[in-house]
Every structure is written in C-alpha cells, then in structure tokens.
Amino acid sequence: MSSRPAQHPVGIIGGTGLTTLSGLEITGERSVDTDWGQPSAPLVEGRLGDQPVIFLARHGNPHRIPPHQVNYRANLRALYDAGVRTVVGVNAVGGIHQDMGPAHVVVPDQIIDYTWGRPSTFFEGELEHVTHIDFTWPYDADARRILIEAAASRKTTISDFGVYGATQGPRLETAAEIRRMERDGCDLVGMTGMPEAVLAAELGMRYACLGLVVNWAAGKSDHIITMEEIEAAIDQGMSSVKGMLEASMAGLGQLTPTPQSA
C-alpha cells in the first residue's frame, strides 16, 4: 500500500499582522538557527483549514530590522529546513505605474536588482564547483497563477504583472532615481524583494511576491511621502492581501516541490 506524500507547509514572509488571518490556528512558535545565522524572528507555525503554514516576520517582531540588514539567507534556509517548498513574500511597495496607486495589490512577474553589499547567494566560500542558476523568470508561474485566481474568486482588483525594482534603503528614493527606474521599465519600487527571490530560487523553492502599494513613489504625487500616508494605505489594502492569502493557501499547498528542492 502506497503512503501519502508528506504535506509541505506553505511559507509566508511578511509582517506579524498576518497572524490575524481568519481561520488561522496557531499551533506553535519556535526559534531556530541555521548555518547562515538566526532568521529575523521565530517561526510561527499554524494551519489554515487543512493546510499547514509557517509565518516569518521579515523585519523581526517587533519590527526593528532595516531592509539592508535582514538576514535573508537565514530566513530562507530556516523555512526550507522547516519543510517549506513554496513561499509567498508579502512586500510593501511604492507605485510607479499609473495604475498602481496606494492600497492597490500587485502580483509582479519580473524584478530588477538595484541593491548592493547584501549577502545574496548561498554559493560562496570553499565550493567544489561554481553554480549559476537560471533566473529568467524570478517568480514561480504556478504560485503566481494561484494568487491571481484567488483575487478573481474574491473579485479583488489587482495587477497581474509588474516589474519590481529592488533598492537598497533604508532611505526612500529621489524623484530622479524613480524617473531612471521608470525608464528601466520598473512599475514598483521596494527594498526587500532581493535577494529574497534569488535565494529561494537557489534552494529550488517556488516563490511569488504579493505586493501592496503603500505610497506613490517619489515624484509621482504632488507631496512628500509620509508615514501617515503609508499607514493609511496598509490599513486600507491589507484586507485584500489577507483575503488572497486565505483563498490561495489550499492551492499553494498542493503544488509539488521542484526537483531541485524535493
């Protein structure tokens, strides 16, 4: 008699507020260590219906780690070691594209990396051979499809495309930098999209980004960017993000691991 394959938990990287997902049963929390150090926060384990999930607060709990100092390698390795093979990264972003204003939700399909100095690969040190991974499509097509279908099922208006421009931070960008990024083809700007996406790819994990626009990018409005504006957009748009995660979790959990990560 064949045994049922092990059910992999779905990983969600984002803010601690996501633990308020309706129907989420938190079953445990544990601190872990990896060969790359400690992740940003303990792993919060739970279930949405029949689907096990693991949450990781990217900036720590409380929110204290700036984007350029997040230990992305430890975060991804900790999730991988916990059995996660599909990850959704929830990112607060600035809108560059005219249709991507505050409180709008985006499932991007491409990324441009403007960061520097961040440890951005597992392939370093005393290696037996050099490894170059294919990164043509930085986000997993199946995971993106499930998120997009979840939005449609809830009649949530989203953008199912977008080029995410990842900047160094922690400062926001100048208007001239945003104009350059727009010429490069960027639709969104954020500070945490890389190296998170490429590290997941190196581990063979399925990875998708769920972006919530929290402000117009620099120079795209007639006023400076304020924390009040950002907090208002989060309050307005987070319900759509949570609803999409809830609606997509069963489908994400049914995705089979990639051959590299299995």
Side-chain angles (χ1 to χ4, degrees), residues 192-209:
T192 55
M194 288 289 284
E196 195 170 275
V198 73
L199 292 170
E202 287 188 349
L203 291 171
M205 302 168 83
R206 296 178 182 269
Y207 180 90
C209 171

Side-chain angles (χ1 to χ4, degrees), residues 177-190:
E177 288 170 331
I178 293 300
R179 288 195 298 270
R180 181 191 68 164
M181 294 176 69
E182 188 169 22
R183 290 194 299 270
D184 287 348
C186 294
D187 301 300
L188 305 163
V189 58

Side-chain angles (χ1 to χ4, degrees), residues 65-90:
I65 306 173
H68 66 297
Q69 291 185 327
V70 170
N71 191 339
Y72 295 94
R73 291 190 293 191
N75 286 354
L76 271 298
R77 188 71 223 190
L79 290 172
Y80 186 92
D81 290 345
V84 171
R85 296 297 181 267
T86 298
V87 179
V88 178
V90 180

